[in-house]
Amino acid sequence: AQKVTQAQTEISVVEKEDVTLDCVYETRDTTYYLFWYKQPPSGELVFLIRRNSFDEQNEISGRYSWNFQKSTSSFNFTITASQVVDSAVYFCALSVVSGGSNYKLTFGKGTLLTVNP
Amino acid sequence: DGGITQSPKYLFRKEGQNVTLSCEQNLNHDTMYWYRQDPGQGLRLIYYSQIVNDFQKGDIAEGYSVSREKKESFPLTVTSAQKNPTAFYLCASSNRGRYNSPLHFGNGTRLTVT
């Protein structure tokens, strides 16, 4: 069975602080994909990044960076110099192949990030 | 611009009534999904469809029904059999339903049943 744990239910920071959102996953599959999505107050989930299980390179995109470590089954997300517009719920998700062409996508419960001015 | 349209944004119903949530996409995606989101519970899959006239149950399909008569449309009916229908419902789509394809989401419908 697959599982995604986002232990931080809520995080509150002051603008310009750096913040890291934790994601720990469980799977017995050797091939899988990890995702991060952002859900602003408008409700729509926005895709941020995808990483496959064979690529452990960290990635940086502007103020966003992701640290993938298979040894600890973690895929953490860091926002540098946070801004008020970063306030949202962030979801980590795990996708594995399940039964031929089907697949199973499991979401964590999300972390509510509030960035205060 | 391509995207997913869910309507209405807010929906109110009396207990015992069926209600249908609309989802339309113009992304030419093959696979469409319905998720339910409850506070502090993340997203749970209700149904998904990889091709017209075919769909599969997700983790919490009981009390829900869907149809896929057109590639662009995937309406969800919340029946009176659903014990706790009040929730935020999200429709999504992906290209070919491959496991490495990111999902594109609509803005959601917030259903309140009293």
Side-chain angles (χ1 to χ4, degrees):
Chain A
Q2 291 71 44
K3 185 177 180 181
V4 176
T5 301
Q6 294 180 254
Q8 304 149 308
T9 305
E10 295 186 33
I11 300 176
S12 182
V13 299
V14 177
E15 205 169 19
K16 297 185 182 178
E17 285 186 26
D18 298 347
V19 57
T20 295
L21 309 181
D22 297 333
C23 173
V24 174
Y25 62 93
E26 296 177 27
T27 180
R28 294 184 178 182
D29 292 72
T30 56
T31 302
Y32 53 87
Y33 276 78
L34 293 162
F35 301 82
W36 274 96
Y37 289 87
K38 173 182 180 180
Q39 185 180 38
S42 60
E44 175 184 359
L45 271 76
V46 178
F47 164 70
L48 295 178
I49 191 171
R50 170 185 60 201
R51 173 67 70 223
N52 74 56
S53 52
F54 299 107
D55 182 2
E56 287 193 71
Q57 284 188 333
N58 292 331
E59 181 155 337
I60 298 175
S61 176
R63 295 184 296 106
Y64 295 172
S65 63
W66 291 268
N67 183 1
F68 177 31
Q69 292 193 340
K70 289 180 72 172
S71 61
T72 56
S73 297
S74 65
F75 187 42
N76 296 336
F77 173 30
T78 297
I79 301 174
T80 303
S82 60
Q83 300 177 1
V84 173
V85 293
D86 295 327
S87 297
V89 180
Y90 291 87
F91 290 96
C92 180
L94 166 68
S95 178
V96 301
V97 176
S98 173
S101 62
N102 293 323
Y103 70 96
K104 174 76 172 178
L105 179 62
T106 303
F107 283 86
K109 293 186 177 182
T111 296
L112 171 62
L113 172 65
T114 302
V115 181
N116 299 298
Chain B
D1 290 337
I4 298 178
T5 301
Q6 289 187 242
S7 60
K9 189 172 180 65
Y10 298 96
L11 193 54
F12 299 89
R13 280 294 183 271
K14 294 290 187 183
E15 192 173 331
Q17 294 179 335
N18 292 355
V19 58
T20 298
L21 283 60
S22 170
C23 177
E24 303 278 335
Q25 57 101 356
N26 60 4
L27 298 166
N28 199 33
H29 284 171
D30 295 298
T31 305
M32 297 185 73
Y33 313 78
W34 274 104
Y35 284 90
R36 170 179 173 142
Q37 184 178 11
D38 296 282
Q41 294 298 315
L43 276 68
R44 292 183 290 170
L45 181 64
I46 305 172
Y47 269 98
Y48 68 100
S49 168
Q50 295 179 298
I51 193 171
V52 173
N53 293 323
D54 188 40
F55 43 82
Q56 286 77 42
K57 293 182 179 180
D59 299 319
I60 55 166
E62 186 176 350
Y64 299 98
S65 66
V66 293
S67 63
R68 186 88 184 275
E69 297 178 0
K70 299 185 301 181
K71 185 177 182 179
E72 303 79 22
S73 178
F74 191 41
L76 172 74
T77 296
V78 184
T79 75
S80 57
Q82 168 51 233
K83 296 179 181 179
N84 297 297
T86 295
F88 187 55
Y89 291 88
L90 284 158
C91 179
S93 70
S94 68
N95 189 20
R96 297 183 180 178
R98 291 176 57 83
Y99 75 110
N100 60 348
S101 296
L103 269 60
H104 297 255
F105 285 85
N107 286 332
T109 292
R110 189 167 299 279
L111 173 65
T112 302
V113 177
T114 57

